[in-house]
Amino acid sequence: MNLSVDSPYELSNKQRKYFGLLPIENGWEKLPLSPKVTAYFDRNRIVKIINYDWGYLEYDTIIDTIDRVFLLPKTSRGKQQKLSVSKLLKIKGAGIQFSGSFHG
């Protein structure tokens, strides 16, 4: 995937600290999943999601994947699913969330 995200804004690590969000670590890789959704990966684990759909929404999460292609189930009864933005956004975060609107 080689999508560019036209982000009007992204918090800095200094700003994240004030909102209780995890800072972006040096080893994390930023991967645009769509023009409005970006994920940060720590190896094959999604650790942060940024959604620009209705403003700015950033949240920390822990979502394990297989080679960044398939989402692993949370329980032994679940099935792995192909990674898509719609499936990813249905999964609740595992930490702090910050949102702000640019609409008046």
Side-chain angles (χ1 to χ4, degrees), residues 16 20-23 28 46-49 58-62 92-98:
R16 285 181 174 97
L21 294 164
L22 292 174
W28 292 0
I46 299 170
V47 291
K48 186 176 288 289
I49 296 173
E58 178 176 330
Y59 58 94
D60 301 323
T61 190
I62 299 172
K92 294 182 181 178
I96 302 296
Q97 172 179 304
F98 170 77

Side-chain angles (χ1 to χ4, degrees), residues 52-98:
Y52 298 101
D53 200 20
W54 297 104
Y56 183 87
L57 170 65
E58 178 176 330
Y59 58 94
D60 301 323
T61 190
I62 299 172
I63 303 170
D64 291 313
T65 69
I66 298 175
D67 297 328
R68 301 181 182 183
V69 176
F70 294 98
L71 299 171
L72 288 175
K74 294 277 184 189
T75 66
S76 61
R77 298 183 71 188
K79 296 181 181 178
Q80 68 186 30
Q81 298 180 349
K82 186 154 178 64
L83 174 62
S84 70
V85 172
S86 61
K87 288 179 186 168
L88 184 63
L89 294 179
K90 288 180 185 176
I91 300 172
K92 294 182 181 178
I96 302 296
Q97 172 179 304
F98 170 77

